[in-house]
């Protein structure tokens, strides 16, 4: 791997390798762009098969965070850390504290948080060594569970899409198919029911479906059937890659708007949605409530303010739709343009990193 070629491709600022003999920590921290502010992004712990795989993951995720924070209107850049190891076997207090000390040496250029393999209680251990960490589950200044804020942002983004497609933002009587009734999916179903929407729900865990069917007036369907439901909005709140070659032509909706990360298997599926006349709310714009919530910890956490900022996702989705129309491109490309334009305005035109 030619590291500097890789860094130059998308304008990465810094790549850091952290090695601690005592705890066995081997971590990579990638800082993509700090034009808008310090690089914020979670720390992932994963048993990568090679060092190259770990580096590529850190770089890819760090760049994603630059776009997400920029498009969310945050004063933050993009970064990400990965720890090489199996979180079930290799995680220890010593390792997490060693990681925290490395983060601290960066003096706030990189702010870490939880991600796959790193949970709230791990973040608390990292916090023993550095204050440059967000996503604390409890205690003074902690943001707690971000999913209600994420769900609220999704609802606001969905509202903007409904207004665009139907000329009416009301959820009352609209039919919505929600895939995945986890933390975010549950909150979304609650909002939708409160607003009088007609809701179909699916989850691979039957007890999650049974619980919402019991609590709200919603219709259960199987995990496979959810793609075929005739509805106004398909709302993916489970895993990534669900808009793919197999599913895209099955969708019978007018809008895709949900919380899941990386909904498009690849970019071509964003174009496929466009060709089918389905409006796609780009995932990292509509699900930015999570990062908005953790970023609030930097200013002294306030849930009301976090919700208010997540409400701004309505305007972000509107901007994406405007850019898509202005430039004749699909919404997923317009989302990148929104993020790049904000960075360019603040950091100078040379900083646009279109591949
Ligand atoms: P979660 O793990 O609580 O819920 C996910 C749910 O999806 C689970 O109930 C799971 O059983 C279900 N599921 C998995 N595969 C499925 C399938 N094939 N069909 C139907 N259901 C399936 O996770 P969450 O915190 O609710 O997050 C949901 C999605 O939103 C994830 O992609 C996450 O990355 C993304 N997201 C979450 C937040 C947040 O604040 N929690 C923020 C931004 C993005």
């Amino acid at each position: 791997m030619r590291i500097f070629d890789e860094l130059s491709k998308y304008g990465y600022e810094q790549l850091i390798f952290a090695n601690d003999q005592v705890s066995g920590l081997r971590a990579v921290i990638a800082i993509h762009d700090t034009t808008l502010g310090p690089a914020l992004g979670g720390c992932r712990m994963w048993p990568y098969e090679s060092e190259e795989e770990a580096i590529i993951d850190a770089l890819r995720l760090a760049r994603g965070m630059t776009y997400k924070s920029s498009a969310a209107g945050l004063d933050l850049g993009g970064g990400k850390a990965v720890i090489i190891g199996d979180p079930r076997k290799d995680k220890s207090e010593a390792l997490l504290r060693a990681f925290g000390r490395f983060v601290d040496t960066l003096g706030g250029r990189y702010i870490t948080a939880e991600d796959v393999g790193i949970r709230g209680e791990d973040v608390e251990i990292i916090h023993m060594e550095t204050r440059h960490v967000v996503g604390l589950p409890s205690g003074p200044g902690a943001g707690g569970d971000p999913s209600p804020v994420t769900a609220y942002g999704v609802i606001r983004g969905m509202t903007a899409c409904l207004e665009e497609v139907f000329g009416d933002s009301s959820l009352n009587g609209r039919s919505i198919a929600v895939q995945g009734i986890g933390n975010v999916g549950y909150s979304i179903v609650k909002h939708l029911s409160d607003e009088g929407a007609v809701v179909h729900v699916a989850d691979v865990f039957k007890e999650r479906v049974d619980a919402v069917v019991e609590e709200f007036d919603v219709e259960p369907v199987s995990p496979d059937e959810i793609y075929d439901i005739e509805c106004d909005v398909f709302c993916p709140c489970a895993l990534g890659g669900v808009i793919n070659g197999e599913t895209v032509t099955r969708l019978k909706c007018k809008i895709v708007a949900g919380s899941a990360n990386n909904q498009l298997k690849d970019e071509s599926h964003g174009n496929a949605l466009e060709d089918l006349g389905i409006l796609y709310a780009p995932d990292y714009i509509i699900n930015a409530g999570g990062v908005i919530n953790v970023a609030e910890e930097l200013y002294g956490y306030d849930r009301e303010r976090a919700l208010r900022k997540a409400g701004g996702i309505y305007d972000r989705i509107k901007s994406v739709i405007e850019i898509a129309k202005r430039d004749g491109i699909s919404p997923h490309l317009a989302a990148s343009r929104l993020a790049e334009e904000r960075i360019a305005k603040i950091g100078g035109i040379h900083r646009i990193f279109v591949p």
Side-chain angles (χ1 to χ4, degrees):
M1 182 183 192
R2 296 171 67 92
I3 292 205
F4 279 102
D5 286 352
E6 207 53 44
L7 298 188
S8 302
K9 201 152 74 180
Y10 294 114
Y12 289 93
E13 290 178 12
Q14 200 175 1
L15 187 64
I16 299 130
F17 296 91
N19 182 54
D20 181 65
Q21 298 288 102
V22 176
S23 65
L25 173 79
R26 287 188 305 150
V28 178
I29 301 173
I31 295 180
H32 177 238
D33 189 280
T34 58
T35 306
L36 300 176
L40 181 139
C43 172
R44 179 167 292 194
M45 184 162 186
W46 193 255
Y48 293 100
E49 291 199 347
S50 68
E51 289 169 12
E52 187 168 322
E53 197 194 334
I55 295 168
I56 289 172
D57 211 26
L59 291 172
R60 179 180 66 84
L61 294 165
R63 181 166 168 261
M65 287 308 298
T66 298
Y67 280 76
K68 189 169 199 161
S69 287
S70 172
L74 296 169
D75 304 323
L76 292 167
K80 203 87 183 184
V82 302
I83 296 177
I84 302 170
D86 184 336
R88 286 163 307 176
K89 294 199 303 238
D90 305 324
K91 210 192 290 176
S92 65
E93 179 182 343
L95 178 135
L96 293 167
R97 290 183 75 145
F99 175 70
R101 286 196 296 278
F102 276 112
V103 170
D104 205 58
T105 63
L106 299 172
R109 251 177 81 65
Y110 167 66
I111 301 164
T112 198
E114 66 181 282
D115 197 85
V116 176
I118 297 289
R119 300 209 293 244
E121 62 258 34
D122 303 325
V123 167
E124 283 177 327
I125 295 174
I126 294 168
H127 190 222
M128 292 175 184
E129 300 287 350
T130 181
R131 61 190 171 88
H132 304 300
V133 56
V134 290
L136 292 162
S138 59
D145 176 11
S147 55
V149 180
T150 304
Y152 179 63
V154 170
I155 293 287
R156 296 296 297 145
M158 193 185 285
T159 303
C161 293
L162 289 171
E163 205 163 86
E164 173 66 20
V165 171
F166 299 105
D168 176 1
S169 63
S170 171
L171 286 161
N172 193 352
R174 288 281 164 222
S175 51
I176 325 276
V178 184
Q179 178 189 47
I181 315 299
N183 293 318
V184 181
Y186 172 84
S187 282
I188 287 178
V189 169
K190 183 171 182 348
H191 272 284
L192 295 174
S193 296
D194 290 350
E195 297 289 332
V198 178
V199 185
H200 285 85
V201 292
D203 197 290
V204 285
F205 287 112
K206 190 174 169 299
E207 60 272 23
R208 302 218 167 139
V209 172
D210 292 345
V212 284
V213 168
E214 172 100 16
E215 191 174 349
F216 311 107
D217 183 16
V218 296
E219 195 63 34
V221 294
S222 74
D224 188 52
E225 271 176 299
I226 195 82
Y227 297 106
D228 304 316
I229 297 293
E230 197 133 348
C231 58
D232 297 319
V233 185
F234 175 62
C235 178
C237 300
L239 305 177
V242 293
I243 311 291
N244 55 47
E246 198 263 312
T247 59
V248 74
T249 49
R250 288 171 60 188
L251 295 176
K252 297 181 185 66
C253 57
K254 292 275 180 287
I255 296 164
V256 172
S259 76
N261 276 313
N262 308 316
Q263 290 168 31
L264 304 176
K265 179 116 193 291
D266 63 54
E267 298 238 321
S268 72
H269 300 110
N271 299 330
L273 287 174
E274 170 101 345
D275 294 343
L276 290 163
I278 298 173
L279 175 60
Y280 171 59
D283 46 13
Y284 66 85
I285 307 274
I286 196 164
N287 74 14
V291 69
I292 289 171
N293 192 65
V294 293
E296 270 305 298
E297 290 181 17
L298 299 170
Y299 316 108
Y301 187 76
D302 177 343
R303 173 82 26 149
E304 281 310 307
R305 199 173 51 205
L307 285 166
R308 204 168 52 244
K309 285 192 184 169
I313 289 174
Y314 172 90
D315 295 318
R316 306 271 159 201
I317 293 289
K318 287 261 171 182
S319 301
V320 165
I321 295 170
E322 243 168 61
I323 292 171
K325 286 185 189 163
R326 181 194 73 190
D327 297 353
I329 54 176
S330 304
H332 69 289
L333 299 175
S336 309
R337 213 157 278 185
L338 175 76
E340 287 165 359
E341 283 178 2
R342 179 160 177 253
I343 295 169
K345 263 190 214 142
I346 291 166
I349 202 75
H350 64 283
R351 301 203 64 120
I352 290 199
F353 14 81
V354 178

